[in-house]
Amino acid sequence: MRIRESQRTDIRLGSHSTAAWNYPGDRRRRPLLMVHGFRGDHHGMDLIAGSITDREVIVPDLPGFGLTAPLGSGSSLSAFVDHLLALLTEVGRQRGVTPILVGHSFGSILVSHLAASHRDVIDELVLINPITSPALEGPARFLTAVTRAYYALGARLPERVGRSLLSNRVIVRAMSVAMATTRDPGLRSYIHDQHSRHFSSFADRTSLSEAFATSVAHTVTEVADHLSMPTLVIAGDQDAIAPIGPTRAFVEKLPDVEFVELDGVGHLVHYERSEEAASAIMDFCHRRIDR
């Protein structure tokens, strides 16, 4: 599977350095700043970012994941949002224009809360597989409790044992198999390989456990009333993590929204339907932004 080449850059925010990857594009158009999901890193956005050819795309590793160190302030929602605001501001300073925010899964929570609290800065928003269902409520609450205990145990055990538990290849593969919906054997193999390579690239067990607690404690629906800017939502109708029913209800609350519902795909739109997602993002930008 061919991926458009990107170049690494390190973005300094005070004493903290964020590793980010730039996909080249027309600098006359506003760039995209893409935020990946939980436990992944920038690699998860490769296929979408690599399929966007009309503008520059910047994909950072979130603090505590990939090659970016955890924040000294921790892995709470407010810590992540403050970091992303500083990152957005710095990228905007370097480019001379504020980037367009894109968030997938956990990233959708972060960018939506950022947009809701800084509507004077965020003029538009793109959400991919947005988290619209509270993980601590409803039918998934038991599985969430078990998973939470798994991360908590991994953080408490001795370093080698705890890291081994959290990076266990069998558990990672089981997660990957559960989320993949494609029947294409080549694509399934690619997805499993990506998760195997990058799903355990977290910095340390404590920040990982804290980030997981943040990811299950919040949703995009918490701030729906404050998302008045033009918003593009891309979702799969087979998403078990963010079921399509609550996502449709979330979309109905937004005053200025475009909704792309992809059939036959779940939570891995960024892998399984990356070209369609990229096309939807470019179309949205042409219609709503590049005017």
Side-chain angles (χ1 to χ4, degrees), residues 174-209:
M175 173 280 306
S176 188
V177 169
M179 287 198 295
T181 57
T182 180
R183 296 181 180 180
D184 182 319
L187 182 54
R188 287 186 72 88
S189 178
Y190 173 78
I191 291 169
H192 298 332
D193 179 68
Q194 287 291 294
H195 285 146
S196 176
R197 287 172 179 267
H198 308 301
F199 217 62
S200 298
S201 62
F202 53 89
D204 62 73
R205 298 170 298 145
T206 300
S207 63
L208 177 67
S209 181

Side-chain angles (χ1 to χ4, degrees), residues 31-32 41 47 71-72 88 101 108 154 230 268 278-279:
L32 296 166
D41 59 20
L47 295 184
L71 297 169
L88 183 81
L101 267 182
S108 76
L268 303 184
S279 179

Side-chain angles (χ1 to χ4, degrees), residues 33-45:
L33 180 63
M34 287 191 172
V35 182
H36 63 77
F38 177 72
R39 270 197 75 156
D41 59 20
H42 71 278
H43 290 95
M45 307 309 294

